[in-house]
Amino acid sequence: MRIQIVMSLVGRLLYIFGIFTLIPFIYSVVFETAYWSFLITTGISFGLGGLLSYYGKESQSFSLRDGYLVVSATWILTVILGSLPFLGSGILVNVFDALFEATSGITATGATIINSVDDLPNTFVLWRGLMHWIGGMGIIVLILSFLKNLGADAAHMFNAEASVPKPGVVMPRIQSMATKLWRLYIVFTGVCFLMLWVGGIEPFDALNYAFSIISTGGFTPTSAGTFVYEQNNYICFVFIFFMILAGGNFSVYYNALHKGIRILIDDFETRMYWLVILIGIIIIGLSLALQSTINDPIQIIRDASFNLVSIQTGSGFAVSDYDLWPAAAQMMLFISSFFGGCSGSTTGGVKIIRLIILIKSSIIYLRKSIHPDMVQVVRINGKPMPTKWIQMTQQFLFLYLMIYVISVFLMTCTGLSTYDSMQVITAFLSNVGLGFGGFGPTDSFGAMPDSAKCIAIVDMILGRLELFTILVMLHPQFWEGYFIKKQSSKRYRIL
């Protein structure tokens, strides 16, 4: 049966996830009271992985359909397993709270239902940071860097985890590329940690902040979050630099390191990403300068840059209460929460490449309305974009808006106001983790009813997996042939 190939892969992936759950357990044994819930989670991961591997079937031939199923099953199972330590230790007693926290962590959304992080044992602070870090680059990209014998078809799993168009990116050796991306990811995390440590942040807190910054997550090791560094310009600008860095394309970074910085500058998406950030900072800065009581230019630049970059990249940090800002500045933040970063980054949202494709294709459509016989194609970095990518981008936007509207409606059915529903769905579907009003930078999501948390869990996973990966499985034809045993062909000799 085709499903056996998927079972074998998912089983092997759970082995690796189980290893990561050992890290907080070892930390708790060394520095705190041993939290056996992590060791139990490791045992469950290994046990389930072994069961799936035993009944599964290894293969080096995968289809994109297999990739969708492997990616979806892996993310859903890791969310469930990630919630078990919270439940097993009694840190969270509500199943929906535990699933919400784990989903927010692994999808690098950063929304939390925990009102006082300061009361959490450091073991669970570390686990929250690790969940961000594991999910930031992508669980499948992490796994591919470990598994070395999957064959060329492993690219289908890479494409299934992030269905964003990748202009000019050719990956004939996907597992080699996955390893290189994770090495770069580790280097960025290490450098960020060192710069925060040098700035005076305690090593444990600096490590957890580094996990959250590079994954564009948002979980912090303290309840005060990044507000405690509001007057520390060095720390704030370290955050800004690495949040912008994490929002860029890691494949482009890797090529730039080997072929020169010109590769980074010549990449059209990267330039547009920087330009969008700059325009947003200027608009917010002018709004604060003209309509607020802030008179210090450095503070205006710092606050505008920090909050804009944080929300656009989905990092989910805040250095000032933007709920007190002028309406124009708040609206700019709200708009930027949809943008996201570049393809191949750790951010959520629509992504800059999709905005570029939509704008360019719209301009061409307008030109063709005037000159019907004109032949022109969308080009990115001088390369023509395939029609299927343009269609995929248009379908993504339609599905994104449809899911957004449906989710907002369902949220209002749980008792939230229309305004709050729009804020929280934006935060979840774009994996930002920050809203406005009652769910702003100084609040948690713990007040939401359980039904609203269920909607949030679904939206966070949908947003992280670029919609298509999950939605494609709702089509009945997706499952054709998965549970039918393949008949072996027999050959007869005629005497």
Side-chain angles (χ1 to χ4, degrees), residues 162-167 269 343-344 353-354 357 385 389-390 392-393:
S163 58
V164 66
K166 308 171 187 69
E269 183 189 15
S343 58
I353 187 62
R354 289 196 180 99
I357 292 173
M385 294 290 292
W389 280 359
I390 298 174
M392 182 175 68
T393 302

Side-chain angles (χ1 to χ4, degrees), residues 144 148 151-155 158 170-181:
L144 288 174
K148 302 298 181 182
D153 287 346
F158 188 93
V170 180
M171 294 173 288
R173 299 181 61 187
I174 187 64
Q175 289 170 289
S176 175
M177 176 60 73
T179 302
K180 293 170 183 176
L181 292 180

Side-chain angles (χ1 to χ4, degrees), residues 71-195:
V71 169
S72 300
T74 301
W75 277 85
I76 292 171
L77 286 174
T78 50
V79 163
I80 295 172
L81 291 170
S83 68
L84 295 182
F86 292 107
L87 292 170
S89 62
I91 296 294
L92 296 173
V93 296
N94 185 317
V95 173
F96 298 105
D97 287 351
L99 287 172
F100 181 97
E101 196 74 9
T103 306
S104 181
I106 292 175
T107 60
T109 302
T112 183
I113 50 86
I114 298 174
N115 293 317
S116 179
V117 179
D118 293 327
D119 295 333
L120 280 180
N122 281 346
T123 299
F124 287 90
V125 173
L126 177 62
W127 178 232
R128 293 166 87 236
L130 268 176
M131 286 194 295
H132 267 349
W133 196 68
I134 294 168
M137 178 57 70
I139 293 175
I140 299 302
V141 179
L142 167 64
I143 302 307
L144 288 174
S145 65
F146 279 87
L147 303 181
K148 302 298 181 182
N149 59 341
L150 295 181
D153 287 346
H156 289 313
M157 287 189 288
F158 188 93
N159 293 329
E161 186 169 53
S163 58
V164 66
K166 308 171 187 69
V169 177
V170 180
M171 294 173 288
R173 299 181 61 187
I174 187 64
Q175 289 170 289
S176 175
M177 176 60 73
T179 302
K180 293 170 183 176
L181 292 180
W182 260 93
R183 287 175 182 169
L184 191 61
Y185 191 61
I186 292 171
V187 169
F188 284 173
T189 304
V191 174
C192 181
F193 161 72
L194 291 175
M195 293 187 69

Side-chain angles (χ1 to χ4, degrees), residues 96-344:
F96 298 105
D97 287 351
L99 287 172
F100 181 97
E101 196 74 9
T103 306
S104 181
I106 292 175
T107 60
T109 302
T112 183
I113 50 86
I114 298 174
N115 293 317
S116 179
V117 179
D118 293 327
D119 295 333
L120 280 180
N122 281 346
T123 299
F124 287 90
V125 173
L126 177 62
W127 178 232
R128 293 166 87 236
L130 268 176
M131 286 194 295
H132 267 349
W133 196 68
I134 294 168
M137 178 57 70
I139 293 175
I140 299 302
V141 179
L142 167 64
I143 302 307
L144 288 174
S145 65
F146 279 87
L147 303 181
K148 302 298 181 182
N149 59 341
L150 295 181
D153 287 346
H156 289 313
M157 287 189 288
F158 188 93
N159 293 329
E161 186 169 53
S163 58
V164 66
K166 308 171 187 69
V169 177
V170 180
M171 294 173 288
R173 299 181 61 187
I174 187 64
Q175 289 170 289
S176 175
M177 176 60 73
T179 302
K180 293 170 183 176
L181 292 180
W182 260 93
R183 287 175 182 169
L184 191 61
Y185 191 61
I186 292 171
V187 169
F188 284 173
T189 304
V191 174
C192 181
F193 161 72
L194 291 175
M195 293 187 69
L196 293 174
W197 188 10
V198 169
I201 300 180
E202 293 295 323
F204 180 82
D205 289 349
L207 179 63
N208 280 279
Y209 276 123
F211 283 157
S212 290
I213 293 170
I214 301 301
S215 66
T216 60
F219 281 159
T220 61
T222 64
S223 297
T226 49
F227 281 92
V228 293
Y229 307 112
E230 183 178 2
Q231 302 303 321
N232 190 324
N233 289 333
Y234 170 80
I235 295 297
C236 286
F237 284 107
V238 168
F239 268 77
I240 293 169
F241 174 77
F242 280 101
M243 285 189 292
I244 293 175
L245 191 69
N249 190 321
F250 278 69
S251 297
V252 175
Y253 291 153
Y254 182 82
N255 290 332
L257 288 174
H258 287 78
K259 299 179 182 179
I261 195 68
R262 191 69 192 177
I263 297 293
L264 191 64
I265 298 174
D266 289 343
D267 184 69
F268 185 71
E269 183 189 15
T270 301
R271 297 202 308 272
M272 290 302 101
Y273 167 59
W274 293 341
L275 180 62
V276 168
I277 288 177
L278 179 61
I279 292 173
I281 291 173
I282 291 174
I283 292 174
I284 293 176
L286 289 174
S287 177
L288 292 178
L290 297 175
Q291 298 178 316
S292 72
T293 57
I294 304 175
N295 298 317
D296 183 4
I298 299 298
Q299 183 182 351
I300 290 175
I301 295 173
R302 182 193 64 211
D303 290 359
S305 301
F306 192 104
N307 289 331
L308 185 281
V309 171
S310 176
I311 288 184
Q312 179 170 328
T313 60
S315 297
F317 302 111
V319 77
S320 58
D321 189 357
Y322 53 75
D323 275 330
L324 304 178
W325 283 5
Q330 291 188 42
M331 191 61 195
M332 187 65 241
L333 288 179
F334 179 72
I335 294 172
S336 67
S337 65
F338 292 96
F339 291 163
C342 299
S343 58

